[in-house]
């Protein structure tokens, strides 16, 4: 069932994208030779009004094939290249635009059913810098570090991508009783003492990795070693380790560590490292609250804006190295994510299943719209680059050269999809 639902959502979003191309092509007098859902061999097909409508074997794509779309000639009546450059721009741009329209329509249902999460301050730490700066429970955060905040998840996303440093200055704009205020303050600093390692799991004391520059690494401990004791106390598992730290918190006092490597036991004495973290001094809301009337439309627009911005920021992180290939997901990963959301929602009732499935559809539709607007060959964004150049130069770029560039881009995207699909499958398995 979950795979079927995932495929229906995925296919519906792609179909709506291609529908944008289809409707604008028809509107501008361009002949659509085939409108299809899926890829590969045809399963079902019918011809109506000069267009073949097809359902194909693999439900992981779709297409809107137009007469003469990939040909250099412009003489064919009703062909894509025979249309004016502005008509062609509207046809190409229609796919991503329809994705954003679909994301908004679905968001209306999501916000109408579940509401939205205002970035409201739920608690201010007593004696904190935030309290001294005037922040109070109930204040609505509208801007954080110059980043506009529409939802609590906006603030969460920004803080996730831009971790707060002890040297930062926090700049906040907030509303209270209808008035807007601004404040700035230095974050509070929390000090912890750590040995500097990550465990394979919460149940074991096997060292999975070491934190660079921290005491265990400097003492010569390696990944794969198993910590067996602290200050003469035997530590047989993760639970014993957690219990020991609860009773004997680490400090700047030296500790004796025993560990096993290749069946041999070793001892080392080290001083836990100081780990300083910044604390903004307040908690904020991430729980949805109901809304109605025009506010539903307002927050639905904000929802689409959030999805688009999340996609753009994620792409930026991929380019700058903040995210890696393992963080990418293709069709297999998307289907698995939808299936997982469906399984988790079933326990909370039918309404929550509907809300979460619609929310996934909003995310995917906005994501597909942004991705297709990237100025890469073979994507809508790449085609728009060539069309924009034609509009500026008042003559087309060499059609054969453009065709070769788009073909090369398509081959690259197919190869990338195979790599991402492989990573998706290995993660699932």
């Amino acid at each position: 069932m979950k795979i079927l639902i995932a495929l229906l959502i995925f296919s519906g979003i792609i179909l709506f994208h291609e529908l944008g191309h289809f409707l604008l092509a028809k509107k501008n007098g361009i002949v659509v030779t085939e409108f299809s859902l899926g890829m590969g061999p045809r399963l079902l097909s019918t011809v109506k009004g000069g267009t073949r409508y097809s359902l194909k074997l693999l439900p992981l794509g779709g297409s809107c094939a137009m007469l003469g779309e990939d040909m250099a000639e412009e003489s064919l009546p009703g062909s894509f290249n025979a249309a004016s450059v502005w008509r062609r721009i509207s046809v190409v741009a229609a796919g991503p635009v329809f994705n954003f329209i679909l994301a908004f329509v679905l968001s209306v249902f999501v916000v109408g059913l579940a509401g939205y999460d205002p970035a409201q301050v739920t608690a201010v730490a007593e004696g904190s810098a935030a309290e001294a700066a005037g922040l109070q429970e109930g204040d609505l955060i509208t801007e954080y570090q110059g980043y506009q905040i529409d939802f609590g998840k906006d603030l969460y996303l920004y803080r996730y991508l831009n971790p707060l440093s002890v040297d930062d200055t926090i700049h906040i704009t907030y509303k209270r009783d209808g008035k807007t205020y601004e404040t700035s303050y230095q974050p509070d600093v929390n000090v912890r003492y750590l040995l500097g390692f990550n465990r394979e799991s919460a149940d074991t004391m096997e060292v999975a990795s070491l934190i660079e520059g921290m005491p265990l690494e400097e003492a010569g401990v390696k990944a794969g070693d198993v910590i067996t004791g602290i200050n003469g106390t035997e530590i047989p598992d993760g639970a014993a380790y957690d219990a020991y730290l609860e009773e004997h918190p680490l400090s700047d006092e030296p500790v004796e560590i025993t560990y096993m490597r290749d069946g041999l036991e070793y001892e080392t004495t080290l001083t836990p490292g100081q780990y300083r973290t910044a604390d903004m001094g307040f908690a904020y809301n991430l729980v949805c609250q109901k809304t109605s009337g025009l506010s539903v439309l307002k927050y639905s627009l904000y929802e689409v804006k959030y999805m688009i911005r999340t996609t753009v920021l994620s792409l930026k992180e991929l380019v700058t190295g903040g995210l890696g290939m393992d963080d990418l997901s293709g069709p297999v990963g998307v289907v698995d994510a939808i299936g997982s959301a469906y399984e988790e929602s079933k326990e909370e009732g039918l309404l929550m299943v509907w809300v979460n499935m619609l929310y996934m559809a909003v995310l995917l539709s906005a994501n597909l719209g942004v991705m297709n607007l990237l100025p890469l060959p073979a994507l809508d964004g790449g085609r728009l680059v060539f069309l924009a150049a034609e509009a500026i130069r008042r003559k087309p770029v060499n059609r054969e050269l453009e065709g070769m560039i788009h073909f090369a881009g398509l081959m690259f995207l197919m190869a990338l999809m195979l790599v991402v699909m492989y990573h998706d499958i290995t993660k699932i398995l």
Side-chain angles (χ1 to χ4, degrees):
M1 173 61 83
K2 66 179 183 180
I3 295 177
L4 177 61
I5 291 174
L7 289 176
L8 285 173
I9 292 174
F10 197 72
S11 300
I13 290 168
I14 293 174
L15 183 65
F16 204 77
H17 174 95
E18 297 302 329
L19 182 64
H21 294 312
F22 174 83
L23 292 178
L24 266 291
K26 291 283 190 180
K27 178 71 176 176
N28 287 293
I30 297 171
V31 175
V32 178
T33 56
E34 184 176 25
F35 181 75
S36 62
L37 175 62
M39 299 186 295
R42 295 189 186 100
L43 296 177
L44 298 172
S45 176
T46 184
V47 178
K48 185 176 181 181
T51 300
R52 178 178 294 277
Y53 298 89
S54 305
L55 175 64
K56 297 186 176 180
L57 180 62
L58 303 175
L60 297 176
S63 65
C64 175
M66 292 168 273
L67 182 65
E69 185 178 2
D70 297 315
M71 297 171 60
E73 294 84 359
E74 300 181 10
S75 57
L76 291 173
S79 68
F80 179 77
N81 287 325
S84 72
V85 65
W86 295 109
R87 288 175 185 268
R88 281 177 282 146
I89 286 174
S90 69
V91 172
V92 173
V97 169
F98 264 53
N99 279 130
F100 298 138
I101 292 172
L102 177 62
F104 170 71
V105 172
L106 296 178
S107 290
V108 171
F109 288 98
V110 172
V111 175
L113 289 170
Y116 73 104
D117 53 314
Q120 205 158 25
V121 176
T122 55
V124 179
E126 188 176 349
S128 66
E131 183 183 53
L135 209 59
Q136 297 179 12
E137 183 179 339
D139 291 344
L140 182 67
I141 307 296
T142 58
E143 196 173 287
Y144 178 84
Q145 305 295 62
Y147 185 84
Q148 186 176 340
I149 303 298
D150 301 313
F151 301 119
K153 59 192 172 195
D154 270 317
L155 182 51
Y156 179 86
L157 175 67
Y158 182 88
R159 295 187 66 238
Y160 174 76
L161 295 176
N162 304 273
L164 190 62
S165 166
V166 294
D167 298 320
D168 288 339
T169 298
I170 299 176
H171 302 281
I172 290 178
T173 302
Y174 60 94
K175 287 186 177 181
R176 181 190 302 161
D177 300 327
K179 295 182 180 180
T180 300
Y181 301 87
E182 293 183 14
T183 189
S184 299
Y185 61 93
Q186 295 296 126
D188 299 309
V189 178
N190 294 327
V191 178
R192 290 189 298 157
Y193 290 89
L194 304 175
L195 297 176
F197 76 108
N198 297 303
R199 292 180 275 173
E200 280 290 347
S201 71
D203 301 324
T204 179
M205 288 305 294
E206 181 177 349
V207 177
S209 61
L210 295 153
I211 301 175
E212 188 177 353
M214 292 296 279
L216 279 179
E217 184 200 44
E218 294 179 350
V221 175
K222 298 179 180 179
D225 293 347
V226 178
I227 294 175
T228 57
I230 303 178
N231 285 338
T233 300
E234 185 178 351
I235 305 293
D237 52 37
Y241 176 69
D242 295 335
Y244 178 86
L245 292 184
E246 183 72 26
E247 191 173 342
H248 308 90
L250 297 175
S251 66
D252 57 358
E253 295 293 324
V255 294
E256 185 180 274
I257 302 293
T258 57
Y259 60 95
M260 298 289 295
R261 178 188 300 168
D262 299 328
L264 300 175
E265 187 172 71
Y266 298 84
E267 291 185 4
T268 184
T269 300
L270 51 84
T271 300
Q274 190 180 92
Y275 186 70
R276 295 159 57 86
T277 57
D279 185 349
M280 62 181 186
F282 68 91
Y284 56 93
N285 173 63
L286 286 170
V287 178
C288 287
Q289 66 178 36
K290 288 283 190 175
T291 188
S292 60
L294 293 178
S295 290
V296 172
L297 300 180
K298 172 185 173 182
Y299 290 110
S300 297
L301 282 172
Y302 286 164
E303 193 69 59
V304 177
K305 172 187 169 185
Y306 168 79
M307 294 298 185
I308 293 173
R309 190 157 61 165
T310 300
T311 304
V312 171
L313 289 174
S314 298
L315 287 171
K316 177 185 174 184
E317 290 296 307
L318 279 171
V319 171
T320 57
L323 296 174
M325 282 295 297
D326 288 341
D327 298 300
L328 281 174
S329 283
V332 173
V334 169
V335 169
D336 181 62
I338 294 174
S340 297
Y342 170 76
E343 291 294 335
E344 292 170 5
S345 303
K346 284 197 305 184
E347 298 178 0
E348 301 179 44
L350 184 60
L351 177 62
M352 191 54 64
V353 170
W354 273 103
V355 170
N356 282 336
M357 293 302 97
L358 287 171
Y359 189 80
M360 291 294 292
V362 173
L363 172 61
L364 290 173
S365 191
N367 187 279
L368 184 62
V370 172
M371 297 299 290
N372 265 280
L373 284 175
L374 293 177
L376 299 176
L379 295 178
D380 292 333
R383 295 183 180 276
L384 288 172
V385 169
F386 282 96
L387 290 170
E390 181 179 340
I392 294 170
R393 298 169 69 240
R394 298 190 177 182
K395 64 177 181 179
V397 177
N398 184 284
R399 303 283 192 202
E400 292 184 1
L401 175 62
E402 180 183 351
M404 288 189 292
I405 292 173
H406 286 314
F407 179 76
L410 179 61
M411 292 300 99
F412 170 77
L413 291 174
M414 292 296 289
L416 179 62
M417 181 176 290
L418 288 174
V419 172
V420 172
M421 188 177 296
Y422 170 77
H423 281 281
D424 284 342
I425 293 171
T426 55
K427 283 187 286 187
I428 292 171
L429 298 178

PDB file of all heavy atoms in Angstrom, residues 72 386 393 395-405:
ATOM      1  N   ALA A  72      16.307  21.429 -35.809  1.00  0.00           N
ATOM      2  CA  ALA A  72      16.833  22.750 -36.152  1.00  0.00           C
ATOM      3  C   ALA A  72      15.866  23.534 -37.019  1.00  0.00           C
ATOM      4  O   ALA A  72      15.851  24.764 -36.997  1.00  0.00           O
ATOM      5  CB  ALA A  72      18.173  22.600 -36.871  1.00  0.00           C
ATOM      6  N   PHE A 386      18.999  29.327 -22.918  1.00  0.00           N
ATOM      7  CA  PHE A 386      19.168  29.477 -24.372  1.00  0.00           C
ATOM      8  C   PHE A 386      18.087  30.388 -24.959  1.00  0.00           C
ATOM      9  O   PHE A 386      18.360  31.191 -25.854  1.00  0.00           O
ATOM     10  CB  PHE A 386      19.127  28.109 -25.052  1.00  0.00           C
ATOM     11  CG  PHE A 386      20.415  27.342 -24.929  1.00  0.00           C
ATOM     12  CD1 PHE A 386      20.589  26.401 -23.929  1.00  0.00           C
ATOM     13  CD2 PHE A 386      21.457  27.569 -25.814  1.00  0.00           C
ATOM     14  CE1 PHE A 386      21.777  25.688 -23.812  1.00  0.00           C
ATOM     15  CE2 PHE A 386      22.661  26.864 -25.710  1.00  0.00           C
ATOM     16  CZ  PHE A 386      22.813  25.922 -24.704  1.00  0.00           C
ATOM     17  N   ARG A 393      19.701  38.393 -28.083  1.00  0.00           N
ATOM     18  CA  ARG A 393      20.446  38.505 -29.340  1.00  0.00           C
ATOM     19  C   ARG A 393      19.534  38.713 -30.542  1.00  0.00           C
ATOM     20  O   ARG A 393      19.966  39.096 -31.620  1.00  0.00           O
ATOM     21  CB  ARG A 393      21.276  37.236 -29.560  1.00  0.00           C
ATOM     22  CG  ARG A 393      22.324  36.973 -28.495  1.00  0.00           C
ATOM     23  CD  ARG A 393      22.928  35.583 -28.629  1.00  0.00           C
ATOM     24  NE  ARG A 393      23.761  35.468 -29.819  1.00  0.00           N
ATOM     25  CZ  ARG A 393      23.540  34.602 -30.813  1.00  0.00           C
ATOM     26  NH1 ARG A 393      22.492  33.802 -30.758  1.00  0.00           N
ATOM     27  NH2 ARG A 393      24.351  34.547 -31.843  1.00  0.00           N
ATOM     28  N   LYS A 395      18.232  36.437 -32.218  1.00  0.00           N
ATOM     29  CA  LYS A 395      18.440  35.329 -33.139  1.00  0.00           C
ATOM     30  C   LYS A 395      18.804  34.115 -32.295  1.00  0.00           C
ATOM     31  O   LYS A 395      19.413  34.242 -31.226  1.00  0.00           O
ATOM     32  CB  LYS A 395      19.518  35.637 -34.170  1.00  0.00           C
ATOM     33  CG  LYS A 395      20.912  35.848 -33.595  1.00  0.00           C
ATOM     34  CD  LYS A 395      21.905  36.075 -34.716  1.00  0.00           C
ATOM     35  CE  LYS A 395      23.322  36.261 -34.166  1.00  0.00           C
ATOM     36  NZ  LYS A 395      24.313  36.451 -35.245  1.00  0.00           N
ATOM     37  N   PRO A 396      18.407  32.922 -32.760  1.00  0.00           N
ATOM     38  CA  PRO A 396      18.631  31.724 -31.940  1.00  0.00           C
ATOM     39  C   PRO A 396      20.086  31.313 -31.884  1.00  0.00           C
ATOM     40  O   PRO A 396      20.871  31.596 -32.787  1.00  0.00           O
ATOM     41  CB  PRO A 396      17.792  30.661 -32.652  1.00  0.00           C
ATOM     42  CG  PRO A 396      17.705  31.127 -34.069  1.00  0.00           C
ATOM     43  CD  PRO A 396      17.677  32.619 -34.004  1.00  0.00           C
ATOM     44  N   VAL A 397      20.444  30.665 -30.793  1.00  0.00           N
ATOM     45  CA  VAL A 397      21.742  30.005 -30.688  1.00  0.00           C
ATOM     46  C   VAL A 397      21.726  28.835 -31.675  1.00  0.00           C
ATOM     47  O   VAL A 397      20.665  28.297 -31.987  1.00  0.00           O
ATOM     48  CB  VAL A 397      21.973  29.501 -29.250  1.00  0.00           C
ATOM     49  CG1 VAL A 397      23.281  28.741 -29.136  1.00  0.00           C
ATOM     50  CG2 VAL A 397      21.929  30.668 -28.271  1.00  0.00           C
ATOM     51  N   ASN A 398      22.882  28.473 -32.192  1.00  0.00           N
ATOM     52  CA  ASN A 398      22.970  27.353 -33.118  1.00  0.00           C
ATOM     53  C   ASN A 398      22.198  26.150 -32.575  1.00  0.00           C
ATOM     54  O   ASN A 398      22.509  25.630 -31.507  1.00  0.00           O
ATOM     55  CB  ASN A 398      24.444  26.976 -33.321  1.00  0.00           C
ATOM     56  CG  ASN A 398      24.616  25.880 -34.347  1.00  0.00           C
ATOM     57  OD1 ASN A 398      24.356  24.717 -34.067  1.00  0.00           O
ATOM     58  ND2 ASN A 398      25.074  26.254 -35.528  1.00  0.00           N
ATOM     59  N   ARG A 399      21.160  25.730 -33.325  1.00  0.00           N
ATOM     60  CA  ARG A 399      20.271  24.672 -32.839  1.00  0.00           C
ATOM     61  C   ARG A 399      21.011  23.363 -32.604  1.00  0.00           C
ATOM     62  O   ARG A 399      20.746  22.646 -31.633  1.00  0.00           O
ATOM     63  CB  ARG A 399      19.150  24.430 -33.848  1.00  0.00           C
ATOM     64  CG  ARG A 399      18.312  25.659 -34.196  1.00  0.00           C
ATOM     65  CD  ARG A 399      17.342  25.991 -33.110  1.00  0.00           C
ATOM     66  NE  ARG A 399      16.357  26.969 -33.561  1.00  0.00           N
ATOM     67  CZ  ARG A 399      15.665  27.745 -32.757  1.00  0.00           C
ATOM     68  NH1 ARG A 399      15.853  27.655 -31.449  1.00  0.00           N
ATOM     69  NH2 ARG A 399      14.797  28.608 -33.229  1.00  0.00           N
ATOM     70  N   GLU A 400      21.916  23.019 -33.514  1.00  0.00           N
ATOM     71  CA  GLU A 400      22.638  21.760 -33.369  1.00  0.00           C
ATOM     72  C   GLU A 400      23.532  21.778 -32.138  1.00  0.00           C
ATOM     73  O   GLU A 400      23.619  20.787 -31.409  1.00  0.00           O
ATOM     74  CB  GLU A 400      23.464  21.495 -34.630  1.00  0.00           C
ATOM     75  CG  GLU A 400      22.612  21.201 -35.862  1.00  0.00           C
ATOM     76  CD  GLU A 400      23.467  20.858 -37.061  1.00  0.00           C
ATOM     77  OE1 GLU A 400      24.719  20.840 -36.923  1.00  0.00           O
ATOM     78  OE2 GLU A 400      22.887  20.607 -38.134  1.00  0.00           O
ATOM     79  N   LEU A 401      24.182  22.928 -31.905  1.00  0.00           N
ATOM     80  CA  LEU A 401      25.027  23.055 -30.713  1.00  0.00           C
ATOM     81  C   LEU A 401      24.187  22.943 -29.450  1.00  0.00           C
ATOM     82  O   LEU A 401      24.556  22.235 -28.509  1.00  0.00           O
ATOM     83  CB  LEU A 401      25.764  24.397 -30.734  1.00  0.00           C
ATOM     84  CG  LEU A 401      26.595  24.734 -29.484  1.00  0.00           C
ATOM     85  CD1 LEU A 401      27.701  23.708 -29.294  1.00  0.00           C
ATOM     86  CD2 LEU A 401      27.158  26.145 -29.582  1.00  0.00           C
ATOM     87  N   GLU A 402      23.036  23.622 -29.451  1.00  0.00           N
ATOM     88  CA  GLU A 402      22.144  23.547 -28.289  1.00  0.00           C
ATOM     89  C   GLU A 402      21.683  22.116 -28.051  1.00  0.00           C
ATOM     90  O   GLU A 402      21.653  21.627 -26.912  1.00  0.00           O
ATOM     91  CB  GLU A 402      20.928  24.453 -28.489  1.00  0.00           C
ATOM     92  CG  GLU A 402      19.954  24.409 -27.314  1.00  0.00           C
ATOM     93  CD  GLU A 402      18.710  25.253 -27.535  1.00  0.00           C
ATOM     94  OE1 GLU A 402      18.663  26.011 -28.524  1.00  0.00           O
ATOM     95  OE2 GLU A 402      17.785  25.151 -26.702  1.00  0.00           O
ATOM     96  N   GLY A 403      21.341  21.414 -29.135  1.00  0.00           N
ATOM     97  CA  GLY A 403      20.895  20.033 -29.014  1.00  0.00           C
ATOM     98  C   GLY A 403      21.968  19.140 -28.413  1.00  0.00           C
ATOM     99  O   GLY A 403      21.681  18.292 -27.556  1.00  0.00           O
ATOM    100  N   MET A 404      23.218  19.327 -28.857  1.00  0.00           N
ATOM    101  CA  MET A 404      24.321  18.519 -28.317  1.00  0.00           C
ATOM    102  C   MET A 404      24.546  18.801 -26.837  1.00  0.00           C
ATOM    103  O   MET A 404      24.818  17.891 -26.048  1.00  0.00           O
ATOM    104  CB  MET A 404      25.599  18.781 -29.111  1.00  0.00           C
ATOM    105  CG  MET A 404      25.590  18.171 -30.510  1.00  0.00           C
ATOM    106  SD  MET A 404      27.196  18.267 -31.339  1.00  0.00           S
ATOM    107  CE  MET A 404      27.340  20.046 -31.601  1.00  0.00           C
ATOM    108  N   ILE A 405      24.439  20.081 -26.458  1.00  0.00           N
ATOM    109  CA  ILE A 405      24.625  20.455 -25.051  1.00  0.00           C
ATOM    110  C   ILE A 405      23.536  19.826 -24.182  1.00  0.00           C
ATOM    111  O   ILE A 405      23.813  19.271 -23.115  1.00  0.00           O
ATOM    112  CB  ILE A 405      24.637  21.987 -24.894  1.00  0.00           C
ATOM    113  CG1 ILE A 405      25.901  22.565 -25.546  1.00  0.00           C
ATOM    114  CG2 ILE A 405      24.564  22.385 -23.421  1.00  0.00           C
ATOM    115  CD1 ILE A 405      25.941  24.080 -25.587  1.00  0.00           C
TER     116      ILE A 405
END
